[in-house]
Amino acid sequence: MTTPEIDTPETGITPGGTSGAFRDVLSKDHARRGKPPLHFVDMTPAQRIEKAAELGLPKFRVKQLANHYFGHFDVNAAEFTDFPAAKRDEAAAAFFPQLITEVTRQVADEGTTIKTLWKLFDGSLIESVLMRYPTRATLCISSQVGCGMGCPFCATGKLGLTRNMSTGEIVEQVRVAAKMMRDGEVAGGEGRLSNIVFMGMGEPMGNYNSVLSAVRQISAMPPEGFGISARNITVSTVGVVPGIKKLTAEGIPVRLAVSLHAPSDELRDELVPMNKRFNTTQVLDAAHDYWLASKRRVSIEYALMRGINDQAEHAQLLAKRLNRYGDDWAHVNPIPLNPIEGSKWTASKPEDEKQFLEILHRASITATLRDTRGQDIDGACGQLAAKER
């Protein structure tokens, strides 16, 4: 007898603590705290028109609001000169409630990496990281408060899951970062936010409905969205197979990233608890199916841990597992493990990192050692813990 998959906006697609070999690790703060205020991006087009009508506004005003939000990254209705002055405050309250409030901002890499700590409506804390490179600007965003996956080497995983985030809370991270880039608040002058990665706090597939709604609005052209190409959006997962299959069926050309971290079930059971529910074969099969459907190479994320998963035999087995599919479908990103407070896990030796890459390359696997931007402000992969400093 198989356990039916749960798929509701409240629980996402993981089974929580109710059934299955894997159980979400819940934080001590886990609770139903009520839903965030309904934001413009949480509403369907019909709901927006209905809300406008309640305020005595014709439906063309909704398009004006969309132009301000998606085209100009603006929610300050008091300055909407094309909008009736008597209705500006009402419209702001109805469509643009403040969902995220900046608590602290930390800067690294000579001003090109900015980590922001945000407070949500219920006091929850999340983080996002904006990274500027010579040819692109990438924002790493959060999709859950904490994370229930329980990976022992990840600071976010040690927090446990508090709750899913709304589409509005997710998209607001993007709007603010896009405005920062446009206004020249990041070292390097005025620019454009070009890439989004769902690699911040949380398991995106555990909050599938909100994440997918966010992806659609991030990638749609103004005034329906920010116009960031879906090809420049990456959605990561530790291996929630039903989520990968659902994303495959959507036909949206986002990049899929799978946090594998181990080439065998025995080792991955220890490093990624979700493997006890969806093993490496199931995960890799689903990821390869994504490649077949999208023709977009899948990113295999692999945090290198000294003496744990970084030896020659691990690289050889990883290459064998990927090459068995017979096509150039995966791009491996070995990631030097970023230290987290109190962890027994440490980064690999440089010579082991080099050997790992060389073995993959000899096996004709495309592989690139991941840049560790923001490490000194705990803004690198696996370090986000939403702590006030």
Side-chain angles (χ1 to χ4, degrees):
M1 179 177 175
T2 58
T3 303
E5 298 299 333
I6 294 174
D7 182 13
T8 71
E10 287 298 314
T11 60
I13 57 173
T14 62
T18 59
S19 61
F22 173 83
R23 297 190 174 194
D24 288 302
V25 178
L26 304 181
S27 78
K28 60 181 174 54
D29 297 321
H30 179 77
R32 293 189 178 275
R33 303 181 175 199
K35 293 184 178 181
L38 198 66
H39 190 276
F40 188 83
V41 301
D42 296 310
M43 302 177 191
T44 65
Q47 287 174 323
R48 293 170 185 172
I49 292 170
E50 183 181 345
K51 178 64 71 172
E54 291 174 9
L55 302 180
L57 296 169
K59 65 180 181 181
F60 79 86
R61 296 295 184 190
V62 171
K63 187 171 183 179
Q64 287 182 314
L65 294 173
N67 272 319
H68 282 288
Y69 188 83
F70 290 115
H72 302 286
F73 319 127
D74 193 4
V75 294
N76 186 6
E79 297 179 0
F80 292 178
T81 55
D82 60 351
F83 212 80
K87 294 290 185 180
R88 291 174 192 173
D89 288 345
E90 278 186 277
F95 290 103
F96 303 132
Q98 186 161 349
L99 299 181
I100 63 175
T101 303
E102 182 177 319
V103 179
T104 60
R105 185 183 294 191
Q106 293 178 276
V107 180
D109 303 315
E110 299 181 332
T112 59
T113 299
I114 299 175
K115 183 178 80 166
T116 306
L117 177 68
W118 302 102
K119 182 169 288 187
L120 309 184
F121 84 102
D122 57 356
S124 295
L125 298 172
I126 56 110
E127 291 176 321
S128 61
V129 184
L130 178 57
M131 298 160 283
R132 186 175 197 154
Y133 299 89
T135 60
R136 69 186 190 279
T138 299
L139 178 68
C140 178
I141 59 176
S142 295
S143 56
Q144 293 180 317
V145 179
C147 181
M149 299 299 102
C151 300
F153 55 88
C154 174
T156 313
K158 293 170 77 70
L159 296 175
L161 175 64
T162 295
R163 67 169 175 87
N164 283 339
M165 292 171 61
S166 68
T167 300
E169 290 172 324
I170 295 170
V171 173
E172 271 290 89
Q173 296 170 77
V174 180
R175 181 190 66 82
V176 174
K179 188 173 186 296
M180 288 171 63
M181 285 297 301
R182 184 199 65 191
D183 294 347
E185 293 182 34
V186 184
E190 296 176 6
R192 179 178 180 272
L193 181 64
S194 59
N195 294 66
I196 304 296
V197 293
F198 283 83
M199 292 182 176
M201 299 176 68
E203 163 57 53
M205 298 302 186
N207 189 15
Y208 186 89
N209 294 341
S210 292
V211 166
L212 190 70
S213 177
V215 166
R216 291 189 185 281
Q217 294 183 77
I218 292 166
S219 60
M221 293 302 294
E224 281 78 39
F226 294 122
I228 297 173
S229 171
R231 300 182 70 83
N232 291 344
I233 299 174
T234 299
V235 178
S236 68
T237 178
V238 297
V240 183
V241 169
I244 297 173
K245 291 181 176 179
K246 288 183 71 170
L247 189 63
T248 302
E250 303 287 354
I252 304 173
V254 298
R255 184 175 297 281
L256 173 68
V258 175
S259 297
L260 195 68
H261 304 313
S264 68
D265 285 324
E266 181 181 12
L267 180 56
R268 196 166 189 265
D269 281 350
E270 179 185 355
L271 300 179
V272 183
M274 178 58 82
N275 198 67
K276 295 170 185 173
R277 180 149 191 248
F278 303 112
N279 64 33
T280 54
T281 298
Q282 293 171 292
V283 171
L284 292 174
D285 281 352
H288 185 257
D289 285 346
Y290 187 84
W291 148 257
L292 291 176
S294 67
K295 294 306 177 191
R296 300 228 55 203
R297 192 182 279 169
V298 175
S299 292
I300 302 296
E301 309 297 307
Y302 195 103
L304 292 168
M305 306 172 210
R306 184 177 301 186
I308 303 293
N309 67 350
D310 64 346
Q311 298 303 296
E313 61 265 28
H314 300 119
Q316 290 160 358
L317 180 56
L318 177 61
K320 181 180 178 181
R321 297 292 303 275
L322 298 180
N323 278 335
R324 70 175 287 271
Y325 295 94
D327 49 24
D328 184 23
W329 69 281
H331 181 177
V332 179
N333 277 322
I335 309 165
L337 184 72
N338 296 303
I340 62 173
E341 188 177 344
S343 174
K344 69 175 183 178
W345 314 94
T346 58
S348 298
K349 298 175 182 177
E351 57 267 30
D352 288 337
E353 292 177 359
K354 183 170 182 281
Q355 174 185 248
F356 199 94
L357 272 174
E358 288 174 348
I359 290 171
L360 293 179
H361 290 157
R362 285 199 299 270
S364 299
I365 300 289
T366 305
T368 310
L369 194 67
R370 173 75 72 82
D371 181 11
T372 55
R373 292 282 290 267
Q375 189 181 84
D376 55 331
I377 56 170
D378 290 340
C381 289
Q383 290 186 313
L384 301 187
K387 293 188 292 187
E388 296 192 55
R389 296 175 185 279

